[in-house]
Amino acid sequence: MTDESQNRDRAMEDHVDRLRRLWARELPDLNTEPMAILGRAFRLGNMVRPSIEETFAGFGLDRGEFDVISTLRRCGPPYRLTPTEMYALLMISSGGLTHRLDRLEKAGLIRREKSAKDGRSVQVALTEAGAVLAEQAFRTDMASELAFLDPLDTQEREMLAGLLRKLILGIEAQAAKEKAGVSPP
């Protein structure tokens, strides 16, 4: 390979390519292919996170608070869930959820109501202000995140989404097998 073509190849490298190249020099027997996909996914998440958090902060929310009100909003009318249903959808601890609910209730975005079916049970209900804020924040976030996809055309976006879906479904299936006590092949 000529110096010119090597320089051209390096100009097209991203951060992960550079890391893999360095590891290849240090540990030439090690397959670093997972970095090409999982390393990029991790880096991508880290790169877009500040923009997402800034968007939500513009609405007076942190990401966790947005997760709560958006979960209630996307569940549809009457925009109510039990705390147990919310734990399952948000995958957070009960203490973490309680803290978020306290802040959101003080802000007037949610309210806790006794269940009509079981007076001992509580439901978390999205207020009208919470529903409006959740929708506004989500619309703004999606517009912001869409701009990150500009380097890809429609077909590339669909292909990437499909491949990521396939990877995630495979990882979820493996995790379910491991949880059920089935060892990997």
Side-chain angles (χ1 to χ4, degrees):
M1 182 178 278
T2 67
D3 285 343
E4 185 178 318
S5 64
Q6 199 171 31
N7 288 339
R8 192 173 40 250
D9 288 347
R10 286 199 177 157
M12 294 300 296
E13 285 184 337
D14 69 356
H15 181 74
V16 174
D17 289 324
R18 289 186 290 276
L19 294 179
R20 290 184 73 200
R21 183 171 35 82
L22 293 171
W23 277 118
R25 184 190 68 212
E26 294 299 313
L27 302 172
D29 63 312
L30 183 64
N31 180 355
T32 62
E33 184 179 14
M35 290 177 69
I37 297 168
L38 302 177
R40 281 189 175 96
F42 182 76
R43 183 159 169 77
L44 179 61
N46 286 338
M47 291 172 73
V48 300
R49 184 176 294 112
S51 173
I52 294 168
E53 290 172 353
E54 184 180 320
T55 295
F56 297 146
F59 288 92
L61 301 166
D62 65 27
R63 188 173 185 150
E65 293 165 339
F66 173 77
D67 285 347
V68 170
I69 64 171
S70 68
T71 295
L72 289 165
R73 177 64 175 86
R74 75 174 163 258
C75 286
Y79 309 117
R80 285 185 180 87
L81 293 170
T82 66
T84 303
E85 291 168 327
M86 294 192 81
Y87 301 143
L89 292 169
L90 294 168
M91 296 183 297
I92 59 170
S93 70
S94 60
L97 179 59
T98 299
H99 184 64
R100 290 175 187 171
L101 294 178
D102 289 343
R103 290 191 318 249
L104 292 167
E105 191 168 38
K106 284 179 188 168
L109 301 174
I110 60 115
R111 64 181 173 275
R112 293 175 175 121
E113 302 173 341
K114 289 200 183 280
S115 171
K117 296 177 183 174
D118 178 1
R120 298 169 295 165
S121 179
V122 173
Q123 289 192 318
V124 178
L126 193 60
T127 64
E128 187 175 328
V132 168
L133 189 66
E135 182 176 336
Q136 289 173 339
F138 186 61
R139 286 181 182 280
T140 301
D141 179 51
M142 287 295 95
S144 173
E145 289 185 37
L146 186 59
F148 288 121
L149 301 180
D150 281 348
L152 304 176
D153 64 33
T154 302
Q155 185 177 359
E156 290 169 326
R157 291 175 191 190
E158 289 171 5
M159 183 181 344
L160 179 59
L163 291 170
L164 290 171
R165 179 184 307 108
K166 183 177 182 178
L167 180 61
I168 288 171
L169 288 172
I171 292 170
E172 288 174 345
Q174 184 60 43
K177 285 179 187 175
E178 290 173 10
K179 188 175 180 179
V182 177
S183 22

